[in-house]
Amino acid sequence: KIDFWYHKEEGRWKGMKRFRIIMLSVVLCVIFTGCKGTISNDVEIDYGVSTKYSRLELEEAVNVIKKDFVRSFEDCTMERLVYAGDKQSKEHGEYYTKADTLLFFMDYKTGNFSSDTLNKNSEYPEWQIMLVKDASGVWKIYPSGCGYG
């Protein structure tokens, strides 16, 4: 009979060592993948109306926001994302002397294990997110100090 945890040539303690390594690996996987931000299944995304940016450009920006949210907002759930519009985006960009800017408002909820800088089990409405198009034409989240970044 072959026992996975115990082999005659390895001895009992080496089998236990293997068990501990496997258990530690499982725990680390849960820790590093279990507390990321999530996008609600019924997240509302409002692209609004834009005469300056195409729907594709707005979708690219939304994808940048979603990707960053999942990575950066542990134990939070995105509920809503709204494009502020061309006029408000332009005004916001001018304040930071940036030409191609998009301004979005995001609503999200925190959970029990969210960051210490956020209130647990709370709602954060209209969190401002500004994106700036870099030289290669890729949207980047700009650290504006107005709620995000």
Side-chain angles (χ1 to χ4, degrees):
K1 178 178 175 183
I2 298 176
D3 185 357
F4 179 74
W5 303 112
Y6 178 79
H7 294 285
K8 279 186 178 179
E9 59 274 0
E10 290 184 1
R12 184 174 195 278
W13 297 113
K14 289 196 178 184
M16 287 304 290
K17 184 177 178 183
R18 181 182 299 134
F19 174 74
R20 287 183 191 144
I21 290 171
I22 290 171
M23 291 308 294
L24 179 63
S25 298
V26 169
V27 169
L28 289 174
C29 284
V30 169
I31 288 171
F32 289 116
T33 61
C35 292
K36 295 187 177 197
T38 58
I39 310 298
S40 173
N41 289 336
D42 56 346
V43 64
E44 176 189 340
I45 298 176
D46 181 356
Y47 293 99
V49 177
S50 177
T51 56
K52 184 173 181 180
Y53 300 105
S54 70
R55 175 66 179 248
L56 180 61
E57 287 176 297
L58 294 173
E59 287 173 354
E60 289 170 351
V62 164
N63 288 334
V64 169
I65 295 169
K66 284 180 172 182
K67 184 178 178 181
D68 189 73
F69 183 86
V70 169
R71 184 177 47 81
S72 303
F73 283 71
E74 348 180 319
D75 196 33
C76 295
T77 304
M78 182 188 293
E79 300 287 326
R80 185 169 176 246
L81 194 58
V82 178
Y83 175 54
D86 292 345
K87 181 179 179 200
Q88 205 168 353
S89 291
K90 180 181 177 189
E91 289 169 359
H92 205 73
E94 286 173 353
Y95 182 79
Y96 293 99
T97 64
K98 301 294 178 185
D100 276 338
T101 58
L102 294 175
L103 181 64
F104 281 85
F105 295 107
M106 174 178 68
D107 298 349
Y108 69 96
K109 294 180 183 177
T110 61
N112 287 325
F113 304 105
S114 57
S115 166
D116 289 338
T117 60
L118 301 171
N119 294 324
K120 306 212 183 312
N121 298 312
S122 298
E123 294 183 13
Y124 285 81
E126 297 189 1
W127 195 259
Q128 292 184 17
I129 306 168
M130 188 169 95
L131 295 100
V132 176
K133 193 178 273 190
D134 68 11
S136 63
V138 176
W139 291 109
K140 303 280 185 190
I141 293 176
Y142 186 77
S144 62
C146 294
Y148 190 87

